Amino acid sequence: SLWKENQDLRDKLAKSDALYNASKREVQRLEQWLENEKARAERQDRRAVRELEKAEQRVIQAEARTERAEARAEKAEAKAWEAAKEKEEYRIRTLMLEVEVRDLKAKLAKYEAEAK
């Protein structure tokens, strides 16, 4: 019976060793998994930072394009106002010339009537 008790203890020890070794392997596997996840997260972080920097550059470039477009629009608006002003001045000069022509025609008609 001592032999059986010894054998039972050896079996328990073997099972305990097997469980310990399995647990140890599982811990190592989980530690490796954790390291891989950390490395993956760091890569994703670096990638996200690069994407953010690129996006910031695109925003800066878009703002610069917007500013240039606004400056062109202001310049075009100023030209449009100048053209409208010139058009109005031309219209006024044309009206004044039409009045002057009408007055000259009236004078001419008057002179022709007096000449007869």
Side-chain angles (χ1 to χ4, degrees), residues 48-62:
V49 167
R50 283 193 308 272
E51 288 300 318
L52 181 59
E53 289 170 350
K54 287 178 187 175
E56 288 173 345
Q57 281 302 314
R58 288 192 297 271
V59 167
I60 290 169
Q61 292 167 353

Side-chain angles (χ1 to χ4, degrees), residues 11-39:
D11 288 346
K12 286 182 182 179
L13 181 61
K15 282 182 184 177
S16 178
D17 280 350
L19 283 173
Y20 171 78
N21 289 332
S23 295
K24 190 174 175 182
R25 284 192 303 274
E26 182 64 10
V27 166
Q28 288 172 339
R29 188 188 67 76
L30 289 173
E31 285 174 341
Q32 185 61 49
W33 175 84
L34 183 59
E35 282 181 40
N36 292 341
E37 285 299 304
K38 284 180 181 177

Side-chain angles (χ1 to χ4, degrees), residues 101-116:
V101 167
R102 192 183 60 219
D103 288 349
L104 288 173
K105 282 182 180 178
K107 283 184 183 178
L108 180 61
K110 181 180 170 189
Y111 290 139
E112 287 175 347
E114 286 176 2
K116 290 184 181 176

Side-chain angles (χ1 to χ4, degrees), residues 27-112:
V27 166
Q28 288 172 339
R29 188 188 67 76
L30 289 173
E31 285 174 341
Q32 185 61 49
W33 175 84
L34 183 59
E35 282 181 40
N36 292 341
E37 285 299 304
K38 284 180 181 177
R40 188 177 64 77
E42 287 173 4
R43 287 191 305 273
Q44 284 180 334
D45 285 350
R46 287 192 300 271
R47 188 178 310 120
V49 167
R50 283 193 308 272
E51 288 300 318
L52 181 59
E53 289 170 350
K54 287 178 187 175
E56 288 173 345
Q57 281 302 314
R58 288 192 297 271
V59 167
I60 290 169
Q61 292 167 353
E63 286 173 346
R65 286 193 301 272
T66 300
E67 288 174 8
R68 290 192 300 269
E70 286 173 350
R72 287 193 303 272
E74 288 173 4
K75 196 173 180 181
E77 187 178 4
K79 284 183 178 181
W81 276 107
E82 188 61 32
K85 179 179 155 192
E86 288 177 7
K87 182 179 176 184
E88 184 60 18
E89 290 172 355
Y90 174 78
R91 192 183 70 76
I92 291 169
R93 283 195 307 273
T94 301
L95 288 174
M96 291 172 65
L97 288 173
E98 287 173 359
V99 169
E100 193 175 332
V101 167
R102 192 183 60 219
D103 288 349
L104 288 173
K105 282 182 180 178
K107 283 184 183 178
L108 180 61
K110 181 180 170 189
Y111 290 139
E112 287 175 347

